[in-house]
Amino acid sequence: MATIRDVAKLAGVSVATVSRVLNKNGYVNSETEQKVRKAMQQLQYEPNAVARGLAGKRTGTIGLILPDISNPFFPELARGVEDVAQRSGFTVILCNSDDQGPKEKLYIEVLKKKYIDGIIFASNTLVQEDIEQMKRDNLPLVVLDRASSHEAYSVVRSKNFEGAKMAVKHLLEIGCSKVAHLYGPQELITAKDRLRGYEDVAKHFGWFSPSLMIPGYFRIDGGMAAVEELLSRHPDVDGIFAGNDLMALGALKGLKRRGIKVPEQIAICGFDGISLTEIAEPELTTVAQPIYEMGELAASILIQKIETAAAVSELFELDVKLIQRDSTQKKVMR
Ligand code: RIB
């Protein structure tokens, strides 16, 4: 059974492009669309068996377990999942786990009792026994965002390590001479990969010190507290890479409280690309994840698994992009 990756390879495009053609979302030029459709025909790829009324579905519902719906990143992820599910004839049951394992297990049991057709996890507390049990229950599973690659399920995430390096290099290019990093919870692969990316660039400079890396817990208040700690350790710091936008927004507020000008005195770059970054003052530079597309792709992969019983377990890492705004418009003062 051909997979979405086989179609992308034959057409010579990315998996995200195939997903856009399948879901008719986002711009794809006609020449590319024709290549994708030709490849689907050649491979007899069937993206949406719902139209054939395959018996594979039990209830036409899929579960989506998110770790923190108060963080704007996750509703945008859910939007991508829900739009694809709707177009494919599925409804979505949304669960908020608060990053708590016991609550997540409870949701898995509730969802199984509702005979859902598959689950998308956007959290990180899955343990081996959960995975084995879901395999025994023949429950299709896709893990989204916070997952290291795993042979038991497909993973969709963005290039966190490369994105972190992009952020630090940007701060250096605009003239920062000492860059700190506010990092998220290190039990999360996304936070860990971003810290690794920061270190991979910073370690080559004489100013680097581990004391420039401070926890902010992926929260606004965590970012505010982290800049207080940072300035007590390094009053001469002039660049901050925050591992997500909420910490960057908290850092911005903390610096303003101390009368420190952004970007003149300290430039700030975030990570995620949530819409709040556009209305911050100054507007926040960030490394944007393809949040909506990640949700779309995860839903497409899960629905294909549900309808074809394909046991593929693949890792999809999507590109990120730097969106430069006022918080890093620093005059290069050499
Ligand atoms: O802002 C929430 C963070 O948790 C995001 O960076 C996302 O990648 C998730 O891991």
Side-chain angles (χ1 to χ4, degrees):
M1 174 65 66
T3 67
I4 192 169
R5 189 188 285 274
D6 298 329
V7 171
K9 194 168 174 202
L10 180 60
V13 299
S14 71
V15 167
T17 300
V18 176
S19 178
R20 275 198 296 277
V21 169
L22 287 177
N23 302 310
K24 299 181 179 59
N25 170 60
Y27 174 71
V28 179
N29 71 44
S30 56
E31 186 192 341
T32 302
E33 181 167 357
Q34 279 166 26
K35 280 198 294 185
V36 170
R37 295 206 177 279
K38 185 163 177 275
M40 282 198 267
Q41 205 173 19
Q42 282 175 286
L43 295 169
Q44 295 180 322
Y45 173 75
E46 284 287 334
N48 179 353
V50 174
R52 300 199 313 274
L54 277 193
K57 289 173 29 179
R58 288 182 283 184
T59 57
T61 54
I62 58 178
L64 172 60
I65 299 185
L66 300 174
D68 176 9
I69 52 174
S70 66
N71 180 327
F73 173 87
F74 294 105
E76 190 171 337
L77 205 59
R79 181 79 264 176
V81 171
E82 217 252 343
D83 285 351
V84 168
Q86 285 286 316
R87 281 196 286 269
S88 303
F90 286 81
T91 52
V92 178
I93 298 176
L94 181 62
C95 310
N96 177 50
S97 70
D98 287 332
D99 255 333
Q100 291 165 14
K103 193 172 177 187
E104 193 160 286
K105 283 188 191 309
L106 174 70
Y107 270 128
I108 294 172
E109 291 316 308
V110 166
L111 290 172
K112 282 198 301 198
K113 287 193 176 76
K114 292 183 182 299
Y115 295 102
I116 51 151
D117 298 316
I119 294 186
I120 296 175
F121 276 89
S123 56
N124 73 300
T125 57
L126 264 184
V127 291
Q128 196 55 33
E129 63 176 282
D130 296 336
I131 297 164
E132 295 307 328
Q133 185 58 51
M134 280 186 270
K135 280 177 81 171
R136 284 192 293 274
D137 295 336
N138 190 27
L139 190 59
L141 164 66
V142 172
V143 179
L144 176 52
D145 176 56
R146 295 177 172 184
S148 46
S149 55
H150 196 290
E151 72 283 349
Y153 47 75
S154 292
V155 172
V156 175
R157 65 182 189 210
S158 61
K159 292 180 178 175
N160 295 290
F161 176 72
E162 294 82 353
K165 292 173 68 173
M166 205 187 279
V168 182
K169 286 176 181 172
H170 171 62
L171 288 163
L172 294 169
E173 281 155 11
I174 62 161
C176 292
S177 52
K178 188 175 194 181
V179 177
H181 177 50
L182 311 186
Y183 59 82
Q186 289 302 290
E187 65 272 19
L188 304 179
I189 186 79
T190 48
K192 212 152 73 170
D193 282 354
R194 292 168 204 166
L195 185 140
R196 220 163 39 81
Y198 163 80
E199 281 187 303
D200 194 62
V201 176
K203 69 186 178 190
H204 297 293
F205 293 87
W207 48 259
F208 175 67
S209 150
S211 62
L212 281 163
M213 301 185 286
I214 300 181
Y217 311 101
F218 272 169
R219 294 199 319 262
I220 289 176
D221 60 347
M224 288 174 69
V227 285
E228 290 297 327
E229 176 61 23
L230 172 64
L231 292 170
S232 68
R233 294 183 195 175
H234 298 279
D236 59 340
V237 74
D238 62 356
I240 294 175
F241 162 45
N244 81 334
D245 289 338
L246 292 186
M247 291 191 293
L249 293 167
L252 197 55
K253 186 173 174 89
L255 292 173
K256 268 188 180 171
R257 275 190 173 168
R258 293 179 60 132
I260 294 172
K261 291 192 182 334
V262 175
E264 293 79 357
Q265 292 174 270
I266 296 184
I268 300 183
C269 179
F271 200 107
D272 280 350
I274 60 175
S275 49
L276 283 178
T277 54
E278 296 169 44
I279 57 173
E281 182 49 48
E283 289 184 18
L284 195 67
T285 292
T286 185
V287 175
Q289 299 193 64
I291 307 172
Y292 182 84
E293 289 80 5
M294 286 163 71
E296 276 191 310
L297 183 57
S300 299
I301 293 164
L302 181 71
I303 289 166
Q304 190 198 12
K305 281 174 177 275
I306 290 167
E307 293 169 346
T308 62
V312 289
S313 300
E314 297 173 287
L315 169 61
F316 298 89
E317 277 197 324
L318 276 60
D319 291 330
V320 294
K321 69 176 179 220
L322 178 72
I323 300 180
Q324 182 169 348
R325 299 195 181 107
D326 294 345
S327 70
T328 58
Q329 292 293 352
K330 202 171 170 73
K331 290 176 273 313
V332 178
M333 292 170 281
R334 290 268 183 227

